[in-house]
Amino acid sequence: MINAISGDTDFIKGIKNSIFTGFVHSTFNRTFNIFCFENGDLYTIACSKLDNGPNTLIIDVDTMKPMEIEVNDRVRVEKNLLYIEDKHTISIDKAAKWDSVIPTYPCNVEILKRNLIKMKEYINIHGVAGGIKKNVITQNLFDAEVSNMLEKRTLLLLNELLNDRISSALPHAVSLVGLGPGLTPSGDDFLTGLFTIFNMKNSPFYPYRSFCEDVFKKAKTLTNDISYMTLKKAAIGKVRESIISLLNSLLVEDDEDLFLSLNKLLNIGSSSGTDIALGIIFGMEANIRAGGKVC
């Protein structure tokens, strides 16, 4: 028996109601993903070293390697227990419920402006290059061209958003889907950060948050299942705990907390954390330039 430490409230509810069946979709050292027959979503079982997230259950193990979970293993629920074949049983009895709650955009953006400057300086030094952050050292021609495409398309997207041309911005956002290196491509990670900002209540772009759903609806065939699921959730304001922690840190004057939260985000994946963080900066600066506040 393995105990779940915490988990997404809706995921826990589905297990308690015994309405969850599926199969293992993909496996990694620290996570494995389950395809759910009931709604077609992916759900993640993550080790204790990772943060909470949408459709995620954190379990009391350090790594998934010894569990010998395999793709296509059947998954079922009975009496508050999640079964992976007959190999493992996961109990949610002691699991703390977690919800993705994005903070409200501030009425006064002065603190936010100062923190964004600090955030950009930190990423310039500590961020991982190769995705949205350009590599100073030119790599092969293909990587250089992808990097140029990412830069060009993000700038085109920003220009349309700032000129209140939301419909014209849509193809530029879609053009980023699936673009770049990584299990979750850099363009997708960048959009995850941007979608998060669209979902901040009271922000200038909050009334246009349906834009995010318009993008992800066109993304299904453009990227992989895992990345698509991340975009789908981010489009409605459901993102990882580390992203929410950073947003909260950006809204107060506490450098230690800001850099601690930022560093945790930057440690996600290879360049994923950096790409998400740059999407957040992009979204925040677009909000500020578009009007600053709606209170």
Side-chain angles (χ1 to χ4, degrees):
M1 181 79 70
I2 301 171
N3 286 317
I5 299 171
S6 60
D8 177 74
T9 295
D10 289 337
F11 191 2
I12 291 176
K13 186 184 299 183
I15 296 173
K16 285 186 175 180
N17 292 337
S18 296
I19 51 171
F20 189 95
T21 58
F23 63 89
V24 174
H25 170 277
S26 46
T27 64
F28 304 93
N29 289 340
R30 300 192 296 174
T31 64
F32 64 90
N33 296 304
I34 300 168
F35 178 88
C36 175
F37 289 137
E38 281 71 28
N39 59 16
D41 277 3
L42 289 185
Y43 289 78
T44 301
I45 308 297
C47 74
S48 58
K49 297 177 182 178
L50 299 182
D51 57 326
N52 286 297
N55 287 14
T56 299
L57 199 64
I58 306 295
I59 62 174
D60 193 17
V61 299
D62 294 330
T63 175
M64 300 299 177
K65 280 185 176 181
M67 296 179 69
E68 299 182 348
I69 303 294
E70 298 178 354
V71 172
N72 293 325
D73 279 352
R74 301 290 290 195
V75 178
R76 69 186 193 282
V77 167
E78 294 177 14
K79 299 179 180 178
N80 285 9
L81 298 173
L82 183 72
Y83 292 90
I84 315 297
E85 290 284 358
D86 294 322
K87 298 176 180 179
H88 299 285
T89 306
I90 299 173
S91 170
I92 59 167
D93 287 345
K94 299 179 181 179
K97 294 179 182 178
W98 177 85
D99 287 297
S100 175
V101 181
I102 294 176
T104 300
Y105 191 76
C107 292
N108 187 326
V109 297
E110 294 309 310
I111 292 175
L112 175 59
K113 286 180 180 178
R114 292 194 292 271
N115 281 337
L116 286 173
I117 292 172
K118 297 170 188 175
M119 183 175 169
K120 286 194 287 187
E121 291 174 346
Y122 190 91
I123 291 174
N124 188 47
I125 298 170
H126 302 287
V128 178
I132 300 296
K133 181 183 177 182
K134 295 197 76 169
N135 221 325
V136 178
I137 302 173
T138 303
Q139 299 176 314
N140 61 59
L141 290 176
F142 177 79
D143 290 340
E145 179 59 24
V146 169
S147 180
N148 289 334
M149 291 169 68
L150 285 166
E151 181 179 43
K152 179 181 178 180
R153 293 177 186 185
T154 52
L155 290 175
L156 287 170
L157 174 58
L158 177 62
N159 183 61
E160 296 304 308
L161 290 177
L162 290 180
N163 284 286
D164 201 24
R165 296 192 291 260
I166 302 298
S167 59
S168 299
L170 181 60
H172 296 306
V174 173
S175 74
L176 288 168
V177 177
L179 182 62
L183 173 64
T184 52
S186 295
D188 298 7
D189 289 325
F190 175 83
L191 289 171
T192 295
L194 177 62
F195 288 178
T196 305
I197 306 309
F198 263 85
N199 279 280
M200 292 186 77
K201 291 180 179 179
N202 289 348
S203 72
F205 284 116
Y206 185 73
Y208 305 108
R209 60 194 180 281
S210 61
F211 168 80
C212 305
E213 293 191 61
D214 292 337
V215 174
F216 100 77
K217 286 176 182 176
K218 295 180 179 293
K220 182 67 174 176
T221 61
L222 302 176
T223 192
N224 62 70
D225 293 342
I226 297 171
S227 198
Y228 172 76
M229 196 68 225
T230 301
L231 287 173
K232 180 179 179 180
K233 287 297 180 180
I236 56 172
K238 302 294 183 181
V239 294
R240 293 175 65 157
E241 187 175 20
S242 52
I243 296 175
I244 294 171
S245 295
L246 175 60
L247 292 186
N248 284 317
S249 297
L250 281 170
L251 304 181
V252 297
E253 287 189 294
D254 187 335
D255 287 358
E256 183 179 357
D257 186 50
L258 173 63
F259 295 131
L260 180 62
S261 298
L262 178 54
N263 197 52
K264 285 181 179 178
L265 180 60
L266 295 182
N267 283 328
I268 294 176
S270 177
S271 67
S272 287
T274 299
D275 297 330
I276 293 169
L278 290 172
I280 289 171
I281 291 173
F282 179 104
M284 286 294 200
E285 291 187 333
N287 265 325
I288 291 169
R289 291 166 64 180
K293 60 184 179 179
V294 179
C295 291

